[in-house]
Amino acid sequence: MLTIGQLADFAGVTVRTVRHYHQVGLLPEPERDASGYRRYGARAVVSLIKIRTLANAGVPLSRIGRLLDADPSAFAESIDRIDGDLRDEIDRLEASRKQIAQLAAGDSLVLPPEVLAYLDRLRELGVAERLVQSERDGWILVVARRPERIRDVMAAKFAQLEDPRLVRLYRLGSEIAEGDAEHDDTRLAEAADILVALTEQAYAAGESDTDALDEVPYDLLDILAVESDPRAQRLLDLVRKRGWASWTRNRPERLTVPD
Amino acid sequence: MLTIGQLADFAGVTVRTVRHYHQVGLLPEPERDASGYRRYGARAVVSLIKIRTLANAGVPLSRIGRLLDADPSAFAESIDRIDGDLRDEIDRLEASRKQIAQLAAGDSLVLPPEVLAYLDRLRELGVAERLVQSERDGWILVVARRPERIRDVMAAKFAQLEDPRLVRLYRLGSEIAEGDAEHDDTRLAEAADILVALTEQAYAAGESDTDALDEVPYDLLDILAVESDPRAQRLLDLVRKRGWASWTRNRPERLTVPD
DNA sequence: TTGCTCCTCACGTCACGTGAGGTGGC
DNA sequence: TTGCTCCTCACGTCACGTGAGGTGGC
């Protein structure tokens, strides 16, 4: 006959675990000896090993109880499901390994490849890293809101980069973000001109792809606004003077009474 | 800006999980809007994804907190350890799959191959299944107590099976266990003769391999005793009449005053 | 006699789940 | 107006871990 400690050692569990299985009725309480110690026979060893085999496979104790007194066919069926769950869990952990490797490599994890490619393209065009990071933050919010639209939106964005005026706008933004404040005025004026030109063109073409993004700010101007840069307000003022209201709305809106 | 539900959806977690991370200080509380609702920006999305990536890898939340503001080299080191733990866990689950497959196949799980081979040999010799199961229970206890001695002990046991008297003893045991009670008397008498002969031989040779098994009952007689068969007592009486005391002790013991 | 094992409560832990009761947005 | 989302407590869950205080075996 075995003591509770010997039984536990044999199954590779703690004494507390064996007592817990008694408490929840998974393992029947054995006879006690003269000192009140539990004494276990071969049956308990077999039962405990079975319980641990299933518990190690991730089966909840409540289900193990029902499993142990199921008929053979139901038992075999359950084992099949448990094995399937184990395979799934292994796949999940393999995927997790790839994820943390990406985390270690400093990859985004958050953004789909289309957006990452767009950000890399901006870097190639010489856009300042600070501006790229702000753009990234904007796209994270867009992806969070409309993950299903992101491929179409990015395709349109790549196409827009063919327009040299947009590239110039990004460069101006970079210079404003990085450069000394001395030339801000001329740069802001030129940026405002480009913004108005692009907006008017989009307005005229009746473009509505901004619909997909509703309240999410994702434009250059908004990026500066997100950064709460005071120069964003000055740029906004310049644009308003040219007859346009805001870029944080769904669509560009022409002011009826320019001030 | 995102609501807590949108943030949670994006990371594939529940709203409660996000609130929990606020509670434990893993994710900073964001600003509230006019209605007291939490409003999240891009930073929160990035943080939450990082947290979930690590949590999915099995890292405890308390450790994730420290990890997120560790320096890059310490971070990389931790990632290496986490990946190692993931590999170990995958190996463990693969082993678990094999274990439950054995469970489904009805394999023992408890006994080493040497003992299983011995039990199969008994079946070949025509020993009754009930007796084999009792023998199995006895060996489970032996393995639980002295796993390191089991190979030597089984080798000795296989050698003993070469003695036709022992085989005859097992067969007699089978007949007693299975047969009608009519012939019990002659069978018990023959079994007692064989037991005494084997015991005397072992005693004369000074064999002490029973030392290894101390209090564990593992002999044929004990198996019947374990089954609490009243015929075991009658067999014991017969053996005592022939001058031997008990088999549940460490060694056979010659009675000084046979009654 | 000392140390190790055993005993029974009973509270603690980890990462949330789950109502309870109430308010705000579309 | 209805339903969905949001809010804050606060207790529940799962599988034990961890003392607290005491007794038995070698």
Side-chain angles (χ1 to χ4, degrees):
Chain A
M1 304 298 279
L2 307 172
T3 67
I4 195 170
Q6 291 169 325
L7 175 67
D9 280 352
F10 190 65
V13 300
T14 67
V15 165
R16 170 66 177 134
T17 296
V18 177
R19 293 206 188 101
H20 182 64
Y21 293 165
H22 289 320
Q23 268 188 23
V24 298
L26 248 187
L27 201 62
E29 281 277 1
E31 301 287 300
R32 306 290 178 119
D33 66 13
S35 316
Y37 289 13
R38 293 175 179 87
R39 289 292 170 169
Y40 298 91
R43 301 290 167 78
V45 178
V46 173
S47 294
L48 183 56
I49 296 277
K50 278 187 188 169
I51 292 169
R52 285 312 307 175
T53 301
L54 292 167
N56 286 334
V59 182
L61 298 188
S62 58
R63 200 172 147 205
I64 292 178
R66 275 172 281 140
L67 247 173
L68 290 182
D69 39 40
D71 60 291
S73 79
F75 182 80
E77 211 175 296
S78 287
I79 292 289
D80 276 355
R81 262 203 304 277
I82 292 164
D83 190 62
D85 291 348
L86 275 176
R87 295 191 61 136
D88 291 349
E89 177 68 2
I90 289 169
D91 289 348
R92 205 188 62 76
L93 293 182
E94 296 284 13
S96 181
R97 287 190 63 202
K98 289 181 189 161
Q99 283 266 102
I100 62 166
Q102 285 188 26
L103 189 65
D107 291 359
S108 161
L109 296 180
V110 188
L111 291 170
E114 292 87 354
V115 178
L116 293 175
Y118 183 77
L119 296 177
D120 280 343
R121 179 81 187 114
L122 291 184
R123 289 190 184 94
E124 281 172 30
L125 292 171
V127 176
E129 189 56 30
R130 243 192 91 213
L131 216 60
V132 175
Q133 290 302 318
S134 295
E135 182 96 22
R136 191 187 91 119
D137 283 358
W139 285 112
I140 286 168
L141 296 180
V142 174
V143 173
R145 281 288 187 91
R146 306 271 176 195
E148 75 286 356
R149 290 292 314 265
I150 202 66
R151 296 192 61 152
D152 294 342
V153 171
M154 291 322 294
K157 272 282 159 185
F158 264 103
Q160 284 173 24
L161 270 189
E162 300 296 312
D163 187 335
R165 290 175 299 177
L166 184 58
V167 175
R168 174 71 186 151
L169 185 59
Y170 270 118
R171 290 226 173 94
L172 282 169
S174 297
E175 289 171 11
I176 292 169
E178 289 187 324
D180 53 327
E182 196 184 335
H183 302 98
D184 270 4
D185 284 349
T186 40
R187 285 168 181 151
L188 285 171
E190 189 183 349
D193 287 343
I194 297 176
L195 267 170
V196 168
L198 290 174
T199 305
E200 283 180 340
Q201 179 184 315
Y203 187 76
E207 279 183 18
S208 62
D209 65 353
T210 51
D211 264 1
L213 307 171
D214 50 32
E215 319 99 74
V216 178
Y218 74 103
D219 260 328
L220 249 192
L221 188 65
D222 294 300
I223 286 162
L224 280 176
V226 161
E227 294 282 302
S228 65
D229 192 309
R231 290 167 296 192
Q233 189 56 48
R234 289 169 58 195
L235 183 55
L236 184 64
D237 289 345
L238 290 174
V239 172
R240 287 174 71 91
K241 282 203 179 124
R242 283 161 178 78
W244 293 91
S246 162
W247 286 260
T248 58
R249 300 287 178 81
N250 286 354
R251 296 155 179 277
E253 185 186 344
R254 188 180 285 278
L255 290 176
T256 44
V257 184
D259 51 329
Chain B
M1 305 297 281
L2 307 173
T3 67
I4 194 169
Q6 291 168 324
L7 175 66
D9 280 352
F10 190 66
V13 300
T14 68
V15 166
R16 171 67 178 132
T17 296
V18 177
R19 293 206 188 101
H20 182 65
Y21 293 166
H22 289 321
Q23 268 189 22
V24 298
L26 249 188
L27 201 62
E29 280 277 2
E31 301 287 299
R32 306 288 178 119
D33 67 12
S35 314
Y37 289 13
R38 294 176 179 87
R39 289 291 171 171
Y40 297 90
R43 301 291 167 79
V45 178
V46 173
S47 294
L48 184 56
I49 297 277
K50 278 187 187 169
I51 292 168
R52 284 314 306 177
T53 301
L54 292 167
N56 286 335
V59 182
L61 298 188
S62 59
R63 200 171 148 204
I64 292 177
R66 275 172 281 139
L67 248 173
L68 289 182
D69 40 40
D71 59 292
S73 78
F75 182 80
E77 210 174 296
S78 287
I79 292 288
D80 277 355
R81 261 202 304 276
I82 293 164
D83 189 63
D85 291 348
L86 276 175
R87 295 191 61 135
D88 291 350
E89 177 68 3
I90 289 169
D91 290 348
R92 204 188 62 75
L93 293 181
E94 296 285 13
S96 180
R97 288 189 62 202
K98 289 181 190 163
Q99 283 267 104
I100 62 167
Q102 285 188 27
L103 190 64
D107 291 0
S108 160
L109 295 180
V110 188
L111 291 170
E114 292 87 355
V115 177
L116 294 175
Y118 183 77
L119 296 177
D120 280 343
R121 180 82 187 112
L122 291 184
R123 289 190 183 94
E124 281 171 30
L125 291 171
V127 176
E129 189 57 30
R130 244 193 89 213
L131 216 60
V132 174
Q133 290 302 319
S134 296
E135 182 98 22
R136 190 188 91 118
D137 285 358
W139 286 111
I140 287 169
L141 296 179
V142 174
V143 173
R145 282 287 187 89
R146 305 269 177 196
E148 75 285 356
R149 289 292 313 266
I150 202 66
R151 296 191 63 152
D152 294 343
V153 171
M154 290 322 294
K157 272 284 159 186
F158 264 104
Q160 285 173 25
L161 271 190
E162 299 297 312
D163 188 334
R165 289 174 300 177
L166 183 58
V167 175
R168 175 70 186 151
L169 185 59
Y170 269 118
R171 290 226 172 96
L172 281 169
S174 297
E175 289 171 10
I176 293 169
E178 288 186 325
D180 53 326
E182 194 185 337
H183 301 99
D184 271 4
D185 284 349
T186 39
R187 283 166 182 152
L188 285 172
E190 188 183 349
D193 287 342
I194 297 177
L195 267 170
V196 167
L198 290 173
T199 306
E200 283 180 338
Q201 179 184 315
Y203 187 76
E207 279 182 18
S208 61
D209 66 353
T210 50
D211 264 2
L213 308 172
D214 49 33
E215 320 101 72
V216 180
Y218 73 104
D219 260 329
L220 250 190
L221 188 64
D222 294 300
I223 286 162
L224 281 176
V226 162
E227 293 281 301
S228 64
D229 191 309
R231 290 167 294 193
Q233 189 56 47
R234 289 168 58 196
L235 182 54
L236 184 63
D237 289 344
L238 289 175
V239 172
R240 288 173 72 91
K241 281 200 179 130
R242 283 160 177 78
W244 292 92
S246 164
W247 289 260
T248 58
R249 301 287 179 81
N250 286 355
R251 294 156 182 277
E253 186 186 345
R254 189 180 285 279
L255 290 176
T256 45
V257 184
D259 52 328

